[in-house]
Amino acid sequence: MRSGRLSLGPSIGAARAGLLFESRDLGGLFFAVAPEHTRLVHEGFKRLGEPCWEIGEVTAEIGLTVR
């Protein structure tokens, strides 16, 4: 499905798509890190016993693609 600047892969159902627009704060921390620093960030979180996930990447393309 493609709508404006959002493109959803065929495996993304309505429930998952709705999460993209959820306004409640779930208490997580979302931030960007330069690719050359990701290992350092992961090591720091691990040292503190905290979980850390990479969830995407910044590209030159305009819009959002969810697969």
Side-chain angles (χ1 to χ4, degrees):
M1 177 182 101
R2 187 167 189 78
S3 174
R5 294 182 176 187
L6 175 63
S7 175
L8 300 176
S11 67
I12 306 298
R16 282 190 177 164
L19 291 174
L20 295 170
F21 305 99
E22 177 59 52
S23 62
R24 290 181 281 169
D25 179 24
L26 299 176
L29 177 64
F30 183 75
F31 59 96
V33 175
E36 63 269 19
H37 299 298
T38 55
R39 192 174 128 230
L40 255 166
V41 171
H42 280 282
E43 289 171 356
F45 273 78
K46 185 176 181 177
R47 197 169 36 254
L48 294 170
E50 295 292 337
C52 181
W53 300 274
E54 290 182 51
I55 62 167
E57 65 181 288
V58 176
T59 66
E61 296 176 22
I62 296 174
L64 174 68
T65 299
V66 180
R67 296 179 212 161

